[in-house]
Amino acid sequence: MNFALTQSLASQLKQAAIPFETRGKFPPCLFVSETAWAPVAKISQQEGLRLVAEWASEEKGVFTIHAAYALGALGYALVATQLRQGVEEFSSLVPHYSVAARMERIIHDFYGLTPLGHPDLRRWIKHDSWPENAFPLRKGFALNVPLERQEGSYPFIETDGEGSYEIPVGPVHAGIIEPGHFRFQVVGEQILNLEERLGYVHKGIEKHFENQDAVSAARMAARISGDATVAHSWAYCLAAEQAVGRVVSPRAAHLRAVLCERERMANHIGDIGAICNDAAWAFMQMQCQRLREDLARLHQKLFGHRLLMDVVVPGGVTRDLDRDGTARLRNQTQAVAGEMKELFGIYEEQTSIRDRVIGSGGISAQNAQTLGLLGVVGRSAEQDLDARRDAAYSPYDQCPPQVKVCRGGDVSARLWIRFQEIQDSARLIEKLLVDLPEGSFQEPFKEPGEGSWGFAVVESWRGEIATWIRFGSGGKIQRCYVRDPSMINWLGLELAVQEVPVPDFPLNNKSFNCSYSGHDL
């Protein structure tokens, strides 16, 4: 992991005469006073830093607010402020980073802490049926005590303009997908505004992490969002391994990357088919379903699970590859990439499909930068972000991706990025397997010390996943925070569909393909 930004930000704080204390060696964290919390964010925003995440923790009855920032090749920096005993409010970062809005609403929901200056503190994940004073991430909250259901309803934004009307969609949808509510404000068939209401698949993941040992909790990390099980597992393991000062063997790192790139290929292929199906082109959907199924079947044979679940664990991976398995993986990867290259040529000749996707759901580069949009969504709108390159975690520090960026930010651009990334993932897999080091693939994981922490990012197929872990006594997890890329990209979807015809919403929604489960935790 690359934390060079920490020293750069520390220099900026010294110039601004903002006192701070550096705690921890790797990763280091800059602790500032409560009054300096917002000024640090202001400086960060002015210097072009991206807000990666904002979250809270509680230690011995005292609350700490954390933030992670990033800036290209300088990597990442952690900043925190510890609130005084009895203080339950902090300065909001929303005036400097609009992307902090929902993160702070979650802090308000789960800790009861108030972000001063926040423009919208309606409940977000903690729906209105929850008791008012139930704060599930506080240490005094009992996980196994049933809560009394309260009456309440969410105050959606309303429209009363002439000719306008509202269309409520969900949370139950006409398909085998997760629940989420979409409230459209429409004139004719054109969307004026979309308001999302999420949280229907909140499972208490962060609470369930507490008091688990690092090895057992890896199974939960693998189930945060099943279609990104490898990436979430890897981010969790990197953070846990940082906490004990551990680096896995080169062979294990290579195998993790191979699994993550295969996961990227499988999901991009599935998304391409589904997007084209929403534009009534069943041919592409059938071809992509066939290819994705081929990938899943080989995963089952070589790694014991179609989605590669529970293969990445603290200390390495649970399955190794022999010569035959390596050859099968290489051959299939190249064959699938070849077919997708051919299908891309066919796609480019389909003028009726191209008419549907070009110009639909566009996001400007400026708006994408303001929101910090990630992964395919960000790169399709000129955002040159990729944690594999910027965080430089092994083995990508020696085998970096060829990051593809384009302009337009529409469905067509998001499709193009997916097609390109499939080819680059195939290139990476070939190189990683050809250069697969000898040695162990898994080693015992030692118990983390009390007060140790780790922060890691991994570039999933959706974009950057961020995970922060702090350990308590006995090597048990005291707090584990996870920021799925969907926490940020859901905001982009609301922006993208403004002025889009209602029938084109499914097309745009699928081109984003945000995770409900990863967002709701």
Side-chain angles (χ1 to χ4, degrees):
M1 277 288 297
N2 176 13
F3 291 102
L5 180 60
T6 305
Q7 188 168 351
S8 174
L9 181 57
S11 298
Q12 293 292 332
L13 298 187
K14 286 179 181 178
Q15 291 179 18
I18 295 178
F20 64 90
E21 177 188 355
T22 303
R23 301 182 190 175
K25 293 182 179 179
F26 192 83
C29 182
L30 306 178
F31 274 78
V32 300
S33 68
E34 296 170 47
T35 56
W37 181 244
V40 170
K42 182 178 181 180
I43 291 172
S44 300
Q45 192 272 333
Q46 290 173 343
E47 294 297 319
L49 275 62
R50 173 173 59 90
L51 180 65
V52 175
E54 184 184 13
W55 68 98
S57 65
E58 180 188 356
E59 302 89 26
K60 300 178 181 179
V62 176
F63 298 102
T64 303
I65 310 299
H66 308 258
Y69 296 95
L71 183 61
L74 286 177
Y76 296 77
L78 302 180
V79 181
T81 184
Q82 193 169 66
L83 306 184
R84 290 161 293 153
Q85 186 80 39
V87 173
E88 297 188 358
E89 58 188 27
F90 62 98
S91 297
S92 173
L93 301 189
V94 173
H96 312 294
Y97 290 100
S98 58
V99 72
R102 289 182 179 175
M103 299 175 191
E104 291 182 350
R105 287 171 72 178
I106 291 173
I107 293 173
H108 186 61
D109 279 354
F110 288 166
Y111 283 96
L113 306 178
T114 301
L116 299 176
H118 195 291
D120 178 14
L121 285 180
R122 291 175 295 169
R123 294 189 184 186
W124 185 238
I125 300 297
K126 193 177 80 172
H127 282 197
D128 296 88
S129 56
W130 282 63
E132 180 68 29
N133 294 318
F135 304 118
L137 287 184
R138 290 197 178 196
K139 293 305 179 185
F141 183 88
L143 185 62
N144 57 352
V145 176
L147 299 177
E148 183 178 347
R149 183 180 178 86
Q150 305 293 309
E151 292 299 323
S153 59
Y154 187 73
F156 284 97
I157 297 171
E158 297 183 356
T159 181
D160 57 2
E162 183 178 353
S164 65
Y165 59 99
E166 294 182 352
I167 304 175
V169 177
V172 179
H173 301 286
I176 310 174
I177 63 172
E178 296 172 294
H181 182 87
F182 302 106
R183 185 68 60 95
F184 297 94
Q185 296 173 347
V186 182
V187 170
E189 284 197 344
Q190 199 157 13
I191 299 170
L192 297 180
N193 185 63
L194 164 63
E195 186 173 7
E196 300 160 350
R197 180 66 173 130
L198 305 175
Y200 293 94
V201 285
H202 174 62
K203 304 164 289 299
I205 290 285
E206 292 172 294
K207 190 67 175 180
H208 282 286
F209 268 122
E210 293 179 6
N211 299 316
Q212 290 201 48
D213 65 83
V215 175
S216 299
R219 287 180 56 82
M220 186 168 298
R223 287 156 179 79
I224 290 170
S225 185
D227 53 9
T229 181
V230 174
H232 270 291
S233 296
W234 197 358
Y236 167 84
C237 290
L238 283 176
E241 287 154 5
Q242 275 183 20
V244 298
R246 177 73 172 277
V247 177
V248 299
S249 70
R251 186 176 185 86
H254 273 63
L255 290 171
R256 286 176 172 182
V258 167
L259 297 173
C260 202
E261 296 306 323
R262 289 277 296 195
E263 182 173 78
R264 193 181 322 278
M265 288 184 68
N267 282 285
H268 281 353
I269 290 169
D271 282 354
I272 289 168
I275 293 167
C276 290
N277 190 56
D278 279 340
W281 191 25
F283 166 78
M284 182 67 82
Q285 167 78 328
M286 295 302 102
Q287 299 304 314
C288 289
Q289 280 189 338
R290 172 180 59 83
L291 293 173
R292 182 170 180 172
E293 178 63 20
D294 287 345
L295 295 175
R297 291 184 181 187
L298 187 57
H299 293 162
Q300 176 71 49
K301 289 178 181 178
L302 297 181
F303 300 103
H305 198 286
R306 288 169 57 86
L307 299 181
L308 303 170
M309 195 168 282
D310 298 325
V311 181
V312 177
V313 296
V317 293
T318 59
R319 298 287 187 106
D320 198 7
L321 281 175
D322 58 17
R323 185 175 298 178
D324 177 66
T326 301
R328 294 178 69 179
L329 211 55
R330 288 177 62 189
N331 292 338
Q332 187 195 63
T333 299
Q334 297 308 312
V336 169
E339 287 206 52
M340 288 305 300
K341 187 174 183 179
E342 184 178 353
L343 288 169
F344 177 65
I346 297 173
Y347 156 75
E348 288 209 301
E349 295 175 353
Q350 305 301 308
T351 54
S352 62
I353 303 302
R354 303 275 286 160
D355 285 346
R356 286 289 304 278
V357 299
I358 293 176
S360 182
I363 297 178
S364 69
Q366 180 60 52
N367 285 335
Q369 182 179 16
T370 299
L371 290 176
L373 298 181
L374 301 169
V376 168
V377 176
R379 288 189 284 273
S380 69
E382 303 180 55
Q383 303 309 297
D384 189 9
L385 303 173
D386 194 306
R388 293 172 294 177
R389 177 197 61 201
D390 301 336
Y393 53 95
S394 180
Y396 295 114
D397 54 343
Q398 302 297 320
C399 186
Q402 296 174 357
V403 181
K404 302 293 185 181
V405 176
C406 69
R407 62 182 60 187
D410 56 6
V411 177
S412 172
R414 294 188 279 274
L415 269 170
W416 185 85
I417 290 288
R418 284 180 168 95
F419 274 114
Q420 302 308 309
E421 291 190 355
I422 288 168
Q423 300 304 317
D424 193 52
S425 288
R427 179 191 65 83
L428 287 170
I429 291 169
E430 177 69 11
K431 181 170 177 56
L432 290 164
L433 289 177
V434 168
D435 298 336
L436 187 63
E438 297 295 331
S440 64
F441 61 91
Q442 185 180 11
E443 297 174 3
F445 186 78
K446 69 178 184 180
E447 181 179 295
E450 183 174 1
S452 61
W453 72 67
F455 174 83
V457 296
V458 162
E459 187 72 18
S460 75
W461 63 272
R462 278 194 179 94
E464 172 198 71
I465 291 171
T467 301
W468 180 84
I469 306 176
R470 179 184 172 91
F471 289 95
S473 61
K476 304 295 184 181
I477 294 175
Q478 193 265 345
R479 173 79 164 100
C480 182
Y481 169 78
V482 178
R483 200 275 290 134
D484 187 272
S486 301
M487 171 59 66
I488 293 172
N489 285 351
W490 275 118
L491 294 165
L493 179 63
E494 287 186 332
L495 191 64
V497 299
Q498 290 179 1
E499 301 184 5
V500 166
V502 174
D504 275 359
F505 172 72
L507 188 69
N508 279 273
N509 189 22
K510 192 61 191 177
S511 74
F512 273 71
N513 197 6
C514 298
S515 170
Y516 298 85
S517 182
H519 172 278
D520 296 350
L521 296 178

